Amino acid sequence: MELKERILVKAEALFWKFGTRSITMDDISRDIGISKKTLYQHFTDKDDIVYQVILYRLDKNRENVNCRMATAHDPIEEILLASEIMRQYLAEMNPALFIDIQRHYPRAWEVCTEFKEKFLLESIRTNLKKGIEQELYRSEIDVEIMARLRVELMRVAFDTDVFPRALTGMIEVQIQLLHHFVRGILTEKGLLIYNQYVQKHQNNPAITTL
Amino acid sequence: MELKERILVKAEALFWKFGTRSITMDDISRDIGISKKTLYQHFTDKDDIVYQVILYRLDKNRENVNCRMATAHDPIEEILLASEIMRQYLAEMNPALFIDIQRHYPRAWEVCTEFKEKFLLESIRTNLKKGIEQELYRSEIDVEIMARLRVELMRVAFDTDVFPRALTGMIEVQIQLLHHFVRGILTEKGLLIYNQYVQKHQNNPAITTL
């Protein structure tokens, strides 16, 4: 791993643990064991590090989701696998960090928004269109509305105003929303294939439950 | 209609049209053609009017939804009819007024929250439980999660950050979300009955589309 990537990985870990605001350029260089001068050779300031950490992380996520989806045999398996991997990412994330970024790092936040709007939304649109073509999803569904619903559901699942933790387990919410979403768009032919996947992935509770 | 009710109806119309903040006790009494003294005999101040308008409106809504639901033959027809009536209410409402109430009239806002939490959520829970008992809804669904999802979807449908008006028509969003929700919870037996309703209510686009 080259130095720049090593800095990004370490800085990300510090941000997850302590938030972006309390971490200084000093903290980062000390933690990695490099001089501040070296750190500034790669990054202009902390804003730049936050921005590049987010860019790096979302690039990795995009790559992983694409890899995982490429192993799928059809749009139904694709949506199940991709949702599972996105679910894992979101579960690992610190919501406080997101709020910090949204408030104080507009450039980094723009990257997050772009990830959602361009990558997530577009992947789901493509998936829905393929599913309709293959008669696995109902032709009556509105691709734009359903794609936006799915992205919003990823957010809603973490919204404790909607799903208070005391009443509903977070993973259970994710799983219920995913399977409810998929079932809602399936044709009869799609339902048969969906049921096969639920059986096949029996060792993966996120896919098999329901 | 007794005077107090007449005041509530008129005040509500003024609030819809001009918002709560710009309307004074003078405006209300002038509009109804009564003295300010008479107005103050029924309401202590504008806060009190806003509070009682909301109380009155939500009581009426609750009554109408219950009446409509009582005509349903089974949980599926019930959820279709109730959603249609709620959709109509929400469509008529001025979102700006809601934001005003949330910010400036805590007592009235509490009534709104209670309506959502106690009446809406509880009606949906009851509907889901009945549907599961009658084997129209899948027994694997988590009643608490699905009830909360349905209430949240009513809000989301109006959220232009999620569904920009330029891309998606509002009524189309409502209809898609309702039918997608219902389809996602149905058993095979439920699906047969659902399809019959979609045919039966052919003159009602909100129920038949999809």
Side-chain angles (χ1 to χ4, degrees):
Chain A
M1 209 188 284
E2 61 158 320
L3 180 58
K4 190 173 173 183
E5 194 174 349
R6 206 152 61 82
I7 298 172
L8 290 172
V9 171
K10 282 276 191 180
E12 187 185 14
L14 289 173
F15 293 153
W16 280 144
K17 203 161 169 186
F18 304 104
T20 44
R21 307 202 72 202
S22 61
I23 295 293
T24 63
M25 292 297 265
D26 277 311
D27 294 325
I28 296 170
S29 55
R30 204 179 309 117
D31 190 72
I32 302 166
I34 57 174
S35 69
K36 257 177 89 171
K37 201 182 145 203
T38 311
L39 185 59
Y40 277 107
Q41 276 166 2
H42 291 90
F43 303 93
T44 57
D45 51 22
K46 206 180 78 181
D47 266 45
D48 191 33
I49 299 193
V50 173
Y51 170 72
Q52 297 213 34
V53 160
I54 295 295
L55 209 59
Y56 174 78
R57 172 53 47 211
L58 292 182
D59 253 5
K60 285 275 171 201
N61 287 7
R62 189 183 288 125
E63 220 176 276
N64 286 344
V65 171
N66 282 336
C67 273
R68 198 75 207 274
M69 275 166 61
T71 68
H73 299 87
D74 58 57
I76 297 174
E77 192 176 26
E78 199 176 89
I79 206 170
L80 292 175
L81 294 175
S83 299
E84 168 55 14
I85 206 165
M86 280 305 302
R87 192 190 64 70
Q88 283 168 6
Y89 287 139
L90 290 168
E92 281 164 14
M93 279 175 181
N94 181 345
L97 187 59
F98 260 90
I99 294 167
D100 253 23
I101 291 170
Q102 183 169 18
R103 286 203 188 134
H104 307 289
Y105 300 94
R107 257 176 91 212
W109 185 246
E110 215 182 292
V111 177
C112 294
T113 309
E114 223 183 80
F115 180 80
K116 196 170 106 171
E117 289 282 324
K118 300 230 168 107
F119 174 66
L120 277 188
L121 205 50
E122 193 47 36
S123 302
I124 300 172
R125 274 194 208 104
T126 307
N127 178 277
L128 293 176
K129 283 178 199 161
K130 266 198 288 182
I132 293 171
E133 268 171 38
Q134 298 179 26
E135 297 175 358
L136 302 173
Y137 303 159
R138 294 181 294 113
S139 60
E140 298 92 342
I141 63 167
D142 182 300
V143 168
E144 191 60 33
I145 293 173
M146 286 295 126
R148 285 175 179 271
L149 171 63
R150 184 64 199 130
V151 172
E152 174 65 5
L153 289 176
M154 290 182 192
R155 188 201 64 75
V156 166
F158 289 91
D159 188 335
T160 50
D161 287 339
V162 180
F163 297 110
R165 290 291 151 82
L167 290 170
T168 54
M170 197 181 65
I171 292 185
E172 184 60 16
V173 170
Q174 299 277 353
I175 295 172
Q176 285 266 336
L177 297 192
L178 168 63
H179 288 271
H180 174 261
F181 179 83
V182 175
R183 279 184 164 267
I185 60 176
L186 293 176
T187 58
E188 278 181 51
K189 180 179 160 192
L191 185 60
L192 292 175
I193 293 177
Y194 164 86
N195 282 333
Q196 284 168 12
Y197 284 121
V198 171
Q199 286 216 308
K200 179 179 152 193
H201 292 275
Q202 259 176 356
N203 51 344
N204 183 344
I207 294 184
T208 54
T209 312
L210 296 208
Chain B
M1 208 187 285
E2 59 157 326
L3 180 59
K4 189 172 174 184
E5 194 173 349
R6 207 152 60 83
I7 298 172
L8 290 172
V9 170
K10 282 276 191 180
E12 187 184 14
L14 289 174
F15 293 153
W16 281 144
K17 204 162 169 186
F18 304 105
T20 43
R21 306 204 72 202
S22 60
I23 295 294
T24 62
M25 293 297 266
D26 277 311
D27 295 326
I28 296 170
S29 54
R30 202 179 311 116
D31 192 72
I32 303 167
I34 56 173
S35 70
K36 257 178 87 173
K37 201 183 145 205
T38 310
L39 186 58
Y40 277 108
Q41 276 166 1
H42 290 90
F43 303 95
T44 57
D45 51 21
K46 206 180 78 181
D47 267 46
D48 191 33
I49 299 193
V50 173
Y51 170 71
Q52 297 214 34
V53 160
I54 295 295
L55 210 58
Y56 173 78
R57 173 51 49 214
L58 293 181
D59 252 6
K60 285 274 169 203
N61 287 5
R62 189 181 288 125
E63 218 176 279
N64 286 344
V65 171
N66 282 337
C67 273
R68 198 76 207 273
M69 275 166 61
T71 68
H73 299 87
D74 57 58
I76 297 173
E77 194 177 24
E78 198 176 88
I79 207 170
L80 292 175
L81 293 175
S83 300
E84 168 55 13
I85 206 166
M86 279 306 302
R87 191 190 65 68
Q88 283 169 4
Y89 287 139
L90 291 168
E92 282 164 14
M93 280 175 180
N94 181 344
L97 187 58
F98 261 89
I99 294 167
D100 253 23
I101 291 170
Q102 183 170 17
R103 285 200 191 137
H104 306 291
Y105 301 94
R107 257 177 91 211
W109 186 247
E110 215 181 293
V111 178
C112 295
T113 308
E114 224 183 79
F115 180 81
K116 195 170 107 170
E117 288 282 327
K118 298 230 168 107
F119 174 66
L120 277 188
L121 205 50
E122 192 49 36
S123 303
I124 300 172
R125 275 194 206 105
T126 306
N127 179 278
L128 293 176
K129 284 178 200 161
K130 266 198 287 181
I132 293 172
E133 268 170 38
Q134 297 178 28
E135 297 175 357
L136 302 173
Y137 303 159
R138 295 182 293 113
S139 59
E140 298 92 341
I141 62 168
D142 181 303
V143 168
E144 191 59 33
I145 294 173
M146 286 296 128
R148 287 174 177 273
L149 171 63
R150 184 64 199 128
V151 173
E152 174 65 5
L153 289 176
M154 290 183 191
R155 188 201 64 75
V156 166
F158 289 91
D159 188 335
T160 50
D161 287 339
V162 180
F163 298 110
R165 291 290 151 83
L167 290 170
T168 54
M170 197 181 65
I171 292 186
E172 185 61 17
V173 170
Q174 299 277 352
I175 294 173
Q176 285 266 336
L177 297 193
L178 168 62
H179 288 272
H180 174 262
F181 179 83
V182 175
R183 280 184 163 268
I185 59 175
L186 293 175
T187 57
E188 277 181 53
K189 180 179 160 193
L191 186 60
L192 292 175
I193 294 178
Y194 164 85
N195 282 333
Q196 284 169 12
Y197 285 120
V198 171
Q199 287 214 309
K200 180 179 153 193
H201 292 274
Q202 258 175 358
N203 51 346
N204 183 344
I207 293 185
T208 54
T209 312
L210 296 206

